[in-house]
Structure formats: C-alpha cells, structure tokens
Amino acid sequence: MKEIKLLDCTLRDGGFVNDWEFGYGNIINIFERLISSGVDVLEIGFLDDRRPFDKNRTIMPNTKSADDIFGRLDKGNAMIVAMIDYGTCRIENLAPCAESFIDGIRVIFKKHVMKEAIAYCREVKQLGYQVYVQAVSITSYSDREILDLIELVNELNPYALSIVDTYGLLHQENLMHYFELFNHNLNREIGIGYHSHNNFQLAYSNSIEVLRETADRRVLIDASLYGMGKSAGNLPLELISMYMNTSCGRNFNTAQMLEAIDINIMPFFRKSPWGYNLFFYISASNNCHPSYVKFLMDKQTLSLKALNGILDSIEPEKKLLYDKDYIEQLYRTYQSTECNDETELAELTKALAGKAL
C-alpha cells in the first residue's frame, strides 16, 4: 500500500538564501509552526564540521549542536532529520541516535563517490539513524548507473532513496522514467523521495505526478515554506499540502504554514528573492551548472545568443560539474574567434585606401 509523506526542508535548503542565518527566534518559530502544521518529516539543517556552532544558524558542526538548539522542543509526530553533504562531517561528530534529538540523516553525494558515500551511510545506520540516500544531480546518471546505485542501496536497506533534481532539469516524462526505475528495482521497504527545484516552474506539477503514480511503498515529497531554497527555489510547502489535503486524504494545517511565511520567511524574501527567473531558466535549458551562467553573465560582454552558444559548447561530462578554469578557457576562445574583427578591419582599410574622406 502506498504511504505518502511530506518532508519540509526550509531550515536546510532555505539556508542557501541567507547562509543559514535565520536567527534563533525564527528557527524556533519555524520549527514549532511546522510541527503544528503536521508535516511528517522536518529537516532542521546541515551537519557540517567545517562550520562553528552558532545558535542563529541551521548549519551545525555536530549532532550535539542540534541538541543545543532544538533539544527542548516538542517533535510532535514528526521525524526529525538533518543533512550531510558526504565528506563534510566525520562520523565521530554524530552521537548515537538514541542520544540525539535527530532521528534520521540524509546523505547527499555525487555519483563519482557513490560507493564511498554508501559506505558512510552504513556507518550512520549503525548508529541507529534512519538513513536517506540522496542521489544529487539525478540527471547526470545513466540508466546503468542508476541500477548500480540501486544495487548498493538495496544492500544497505535505508529508509529512503531520493530522486534529487538539483538543477531543476526534469520534465514529467524524465522524472517518471527515474521513478519507475526506482520503483521496479528497489526493495519494497525502501521509500522513494523526490526533491525538486523550480527552474522550469515544474516542481508543483511534477510532484503531483509522483503522488499520483502507483507504488506499493513509502513515497516522500520534499517542499519548503514559500519555496525558499537554492537557485530557483523548491516546491512550495503550502501549495503541495493543499493538494495533498484535497486529493490524498491528508489534513495539514496550512494556516500554520502561512503564519510562518508571513512572519519568518517574507523578510528574507524581500531582502534576497528566490524563484524562477531568466538566470535559472538559462542554466536549466542548457542542462548546466548555474555557476557557468553566472560566470558568463558577470563578464557583461555577451548577448544571450552568445552566452547560450558558449554553454552549448560545454562537454557533456562537464555540464553539471562546475569548472572555473574550463569555462574561462571557453570564454577566451569565443572572444578570440567569434569577436575577432581584424579581418574585417583589414578589408575595410583596403577598400578605403586612396579614397578621399
């Protein structure tokens, strides 16, 4: 039987907007309103041992820091999770789950380190945590690589494996292809998660397709308040919860979400807006890392046609792995070939030779 769960990632993905500096009062209020709204899973931030403890920020060096910020709060019926970008938090910085406020750990990683990341996930699971395996940049995987990942995940048997559309590149047919690969090959007790970004304004409609798809397992949808998040933002929590109330038999308290948006989220939006814009459209339409687009736009010497031409020339294996030296070289090559007017100048000089001006 299909079991649908709603996961809020505001305090984690939303932190890309403000360097995770929500302020202690905002952190507590957001947490409590999300618990009151009835979300199934609440992600409280990143665990990253490169960052010092700061009670005003939701990026924390260890599980003890999370305990210090959230430990006195009521979890309600929610599972509390945190995220680790593989390689940024040593296993010794995680207390056993029985001694932590955190119930689960979501581990993100790129495909070239999948084996090492799954081994790390196994250590996390041995500490008693529910483990979420987060395959970032899912569109960079071939079907064969997806099946290789699933084989490793089946051996681990985590709580969930997530489709992470890091750069908002998925359209419905591509998304459902990945979903079917997961659904047909994963152990039934492993849930399937979907984490979207809104570069193509498809986070909402794509999530509805996932919710509609037949699956005899747990299915988790990620969302954030007002879509707060990296790049073009995430699926808005208040939208998908409304749909789940009317079409999936859920009973989320959207009024609590709207209060949190009004009081705690809108001040950040007014200062640093997120959401669909031309910048993120260009990166998504070229299937490339947004930093390539930023690098070229910052030059302020290129038309959109020229910019798209350079992005189109990026080698496929480089598209989603940002390489500053590589894009610098492409830009210089473009400048020296496409923008070289020496030939035209020589022809003009010849034509004008001997003519009275």
Side-chain angles (χ1 to χ4, degrees):
M1 181 177 178
K2 189 175 185 179
E3 180 186 9
I4 293 171
K5 291 187 176 291
L6 180 58
L7 184 152
D8 178 85
C9 58
T10 306
L11 291 171
R12 196 271 309 170
D13 208 329
F16 284 103
V17 173
N18 56 12
D19 195 32
W20 295 275
E21 191 173 5
F22 288 89
Y24 181 73
N26 277 329
I27 292 170
I28 300 306
N29 198 43
I30 290 168
F31 181 96
E32 291 183 335
R33 289 197 181 278
L34 288 170
I35 291 295
S36 297
S37 75
V39 296
D40 301 298
V41 186
L42 203 169
E43 188 174 48
I44 58 172
F46 269 113
L47 298 179
D48 185 335
D49 58 27
R50 300 169 301 178
R51 301 290 290 258
F53 173 70
D54 181 346
K55 72 174 185 178
N56 294 304
R57 280 187 162 92
T58 55
I59 185 165
M60 303 156 283
N62 47 43
T63 54
K64 182 184 181 303
S65 300
D67 296 341
D68 290 342
I69 296 173
F70 299 96
R72 298 184 187 90
L73 301 179
D74 184 358
K75 298 180 184 180
N77 296 317
M79 178 188 294
I80 306 302
V81 301
M83 179 171 280
I84 295 173
D85 187 347
Y86 171 69
T88 66
C89 189
R90 291 162 292 176
I91 197 71
E92 53 264 34
N93 287 309
L94 307 182
C97 182
E99 301 171 15
S100 173
F101 184 77
I102 297 169
D103 304 306
I105 302 289
R106 306 217 292 171
V107 179
I108 59 173
F109 56 90
K110 293 184 172 66
K111 70 177 183 180
H112 68 281
V113 293
M114 74 164 77
K115 291 182 179 179
E116 297 90 334
I118 296 298
Y120 178 81
C121 287
R122 185 168 287 106
E123 292 185 88
V124 174
K125 185 178 179 182
Q126 288 170 353
L127 289 172
Y129 293 97
Q130 298 284 10
V131 173
Y132 295 64
V133 177
Q134 305 287 119
V136 303
S137 299
I138 194 70
T139 51
S140 69
Y141 284 75
S142 67
D143 285 1
R144 179 65 261 170
E145 288 166 335
I146 289 288
L147 293 174
D148 290 343
L149 172 64
I150 288 173
E151 184 177 350
L152 292 171
V153 171
N154 280 339
E155 293 175 5
L156 175 66
N157 211 42
Y159 184 79
L161 170 63
S162 290
I163 300 168
V164 183
D165 188 13
T166 309
Y167 303 112
L169 305 180
L170 286 174
H171 286 74
Q172 179 183 329
E173 60 272 18
N174 311 106
L175 169 63
M176 298 321 296
H177 174 70
Y178 286 118
F179 188 90
E180 289 169 9
L181 275 177
F182 279 33
N183 194 31
H184 291 155
N185 293 284
L186 273 175
N187 294 343
R188 288 294 172 211
E189 59 269 28
I190 301 173
I192 298 176
Y194 174 47
H195 181 87
S196 57
H197 280 272
N198 224 5
N199 298 57
F200 284 143
Q201 294 281 51
L202 293 173
Y204 182 60
S205 59
N206 279 352
S207 296
I208 288 174
E209 289 304 313
V210 169
L211 291 172
R212 286 175 174 172
E213 188 70 8
T214 301
D216 185 21
R217 67 172 74 244
R218 183 187 312 116
V219 175
L220 303 101
I221 300 293
D222 288 14
S224 63
L225 292 166
Y226 206 54
M228 186 180 187
K230 186 178 182 180
S231 66
N234 299 107
L235 167 67
L237 183 74
E238 63 280 5
L239 286 183
I240 199 63
S241 61
M242 179 181 65
Y243 174 82
M244 292 170 76
N245 284 350
T246 58
S247 302
C248 303
R250 299 304 303 269
N251 189 32
F252 297 110
N253 187 340
T254 56
Q256 291 289 331
M257 300 174 187
L258 295 176
E259 282 290 310
I261 292 170
D262 183 33
I263 297 170
N264 307 110
I265 302 300
M266 289 308 295
F268 294 112
F269 181 78
R270 285 189 284 267
K271 184 177 180 180
S272 301
W274 55 87
Y276 173 80
N277 62 33
L278 183 62
F279 174 89
F280 297 120
Y281 164 78
I282 292 171
S283 63
S285 63
N286 285 280
N287 294 324
C288 71
H289 197 290
S291 293
Y292 285 128
V293 182
K294 184 178 187 305
F295 175 88
L296 295 174
M297 291 184 80
D298 285 349
K299 295 294 185 182
Q300 298 184 354
T301 59
L302 299 167
S303 67
L304 285 180
K305 181 180 178 181
L307 188 146
N308 275 305
I310 296 174
L311 295 175
D312 189 55
S313 70
I314 297 175
E315 297 171 14
E317 64 272 18
K318 291 276 192 179
K319 287 272 188 178
L320 296 176
L321 294 173
Y322 179 61
D323 185 332
K324 184 178 179 180
D325 293 336
Y326 175 74
I327 193 63
E328 176 75 49
Q329 184 58 50
L330 286 183
Y331 172 74
R332 289 180 178 177
T333 300
Y334 173 84
Q335 290 292 85
S336 64
T337 56
E338 300 297 328
C339 300
N340 190 337
D341 58 2
E342 290 181 3
T343 301
E344 289 81 358
L345 182 60
E347 291 177 354
L348 179 62
T349 301
K350 182 179 179 181
L352 295 175
K355 292 187 178 182
L357 299 177

